[in-house]
Amino acid sequence: MDQRKVLVIEDERDIAELLALHLRDINCEATLAADGHEGMRQAFARCWDLVILDLRLPGPDGLSICRALRRESRYVPILMLTSKSSELDRVLGLELGADDYVTKPFSVSELMARVKAIFRRVESLEKRYPGGAEALAIGPLQIDATGRQVLVNNEIVPLTAREFDLLLHFARHPNCVFSRAQLLDSVWGYGHDGYEHTVNSHINRLRAKIEPDPAQPELIVTVWGVGYKLDAQPQVQAA
Ligand code: CA
């Protein structure tokens, strides 16, 4: 396989160089950008396989760069580095469309595990859908997997990267019931004991965006004692 091209936008030089070293170890080509201006320029200069993005940067910060990248039609995976214990950073990063985040100080092995999980996810997507184009229609939902866009009753509904992945996973397996642990494994890419509430909160946010009545879900339904499924014959009427 060709070397994966990774852009690391990080103003702390020690961290940037440590990441570059470990990325090269797993056959990636690492390019470093040391501030927001250079990062912004580099981010659009090539087609990256991954952008590792520090939140706090001189010049445009990580959120501005993330936002700018998400306005592009081509999807590029983004792993965000956030500062210690700032819940707000974490939430903002994911809301703006980062694929995952790691909180500083992080262990390099943890960060590399996240990087590999992102690569695995993208790779399995490419393997299953070579050439890219994939569109799914279920009830009121239209999902453009390639453009990463969702329409409900013909209206675009903005989803975060993770909400989109979650919905896509359900849509590719209509009527299949998944436990929270299975969803963590398939959608987040890593099994995380004790993180099952993460699944619940994402399901709730997704329902709030796509269900006509989130209190009585008809698309993503709860299967008591087991998990969740996407009901492929929803009773939902187009508004
Ligand atoms: Ca920084």
Side-chain angles (χ1 to χ4, degrees), residues 125 128-129 134 136 138 145 167-174 230:
L125 214 73
R128 270 180 290 174
Y129 305 96
E134 184 200 5
L136 298 158
I138 294 171
L167 181 61
L168 188 58
H169 185 70
F170 279 120
R172 282 174 175 159
H173 309 90
L230 177 64

Side-chain angles (χ1 to χ4, degrees), residues 53-121:
L53 183 55
D54 186 28
L55 189 72
R56 298 187 189 278
L57 294 163
D61 65 7
L63 290 180
S64 315
I65 296 172
C66 183
R67 215 182 271 130
L69 278 170
R70 282 293 171 259
R71 280 198 291 265
E72 290 285 290
S73 58
R74 185 185 175 275
Y75 163 72
V76 53
I78 299 172
L79 175 63
M80 204 155 239
L81 308 178
T82 69
S83 50
K84 192 168 67 176
S85 76
S86 172
E87 191 70 5
L88 188 66
D89 290 352
R90 184 179 81 84
V91 173
L92 277 177
L94 292 181
E95 286 303 317
L96 285 175
D99 291 81
D100 206 350
Y101 65 93
V102 173
T103 306
K104 290 179 175 180
F106 53 79
S107 80
V108 178
S109 60
E110 169 69 5
L111 185 127
M112 294 309 291
R114 301 294 182 93
V115 167
K116 288 179 196 164
I118 290 175
F119 286 157
R120 271 200 306 276
R121 190 165 54 74

Side-chain angles (χ1 to χ4, degrees), residues 15-234:
I15 294 180
E17 284 176 358
L18 186 67
L19 292 183
L21 200 71
H22 282 81
L23 286 165
R24 286 170 192 140
D25 264 1
I26 59 165
N27 197 34
C28 293
E29 181 195 321
T31 302
L32 306 185
D35 63 51
H37 293 291
E38 177 62 9
M40 192 72 95
R41 196 186 65 74
Q42 288 277 7
F44 292 94
R46 296 172 73 176
C47 287
W48 302 100
D49 295 301
L50 173 67
V51 174
I52 299 179
L53 183 55
D54 186 28
L55 189 72
R56 298 187 189 278
L57 294 163
D61 65 7
L63 290 180
S64 315
I65 296 172
C66 183
R67 215 182 271 130
L69 278 170
R70 282 293 171 259
R71 280 198 291 265
E72 290 285 290
S73 58
R74 185 185 175 275
Y75 163 72
V76 53
I78 299 172
L79 175 63
M80 204 155 239
L81 308 178
T82 69
S83 50
K84 192 168 67 176
S85 76
S86 172
E87 191 70 5
L88 188 66
D89 290 352
R90 184 179 81 84
V91 173
L92 277 177
L94 292 181
E95 286 303 317
L96 285 175
D99 291 81
D100 206 350
Y101 65 93
V102 173
T103 306
K104 290 179 175 180
F106 53 79
S107 80
V108 178
S109 60
E110 169 69 5
L111 185 127
M112 294 309 291
R114 301 294 182 93
V115 167
K116 288 179 196 164
I118 290 175
F119 286 157
R120 271 200 306 276
R121 190 165 54 74
V122 172
E123 197 175 290
S124 75
L125 214 73
E126 284 166 356
K127 223 177 265 165
R128 270 180 290 174
Y129 305 96
E134 184 200 5
L136 298 158
I138 294 171
L141 297 173
Q142 286 165 265
I143 304 168
D144 169 6
T146 321
R148 295 180 68 83
Q149 199 171 62
V150 175
L151 288 88
V152 181
N153 293 324
N154 299 316
E155 299 220 8
I156 292 178
V157 176
L159 298 181
T160 66
R162 193 72 77 190
E163 288 161 1
F164 182 86
D165 289 341
L166 188 59
L167 181 61
L168 188 58
H169 185 70
F170 279 120
R172 282 174 175 159
H173 309 90
N175 294 324
C176 292
V177 182
F178 296 101
S179 69
R180 290 170 188 82
Q182 286 170 327
L183 290 171
L184 269 180
D185 198 46
S186 307
V187 178
W188 276 254
Y190 42 86
H192 248 3
D193 286 344
Y195 276 68
E196 296 189 0
H197 64 273
T198 305
V199 177
N200 300 8
S201 65
H202 277 79
I203 295 266
N204 289 339
R205 289 215 295 269
L206 189 55
R207 280 172 169 165
K209 293 182 180 178
I210 67 168
E211 298 277 357
D213 178 6
Q216 302 199 331
E218 297 184 43
L219 293 165
I220 296 180
V221 298
T222 302
V223 180
W224 293 107
V226 189
Y228 303 97
K229 67 169 186 175
L230 177 64
D231 192 335
Q233 278 110 32

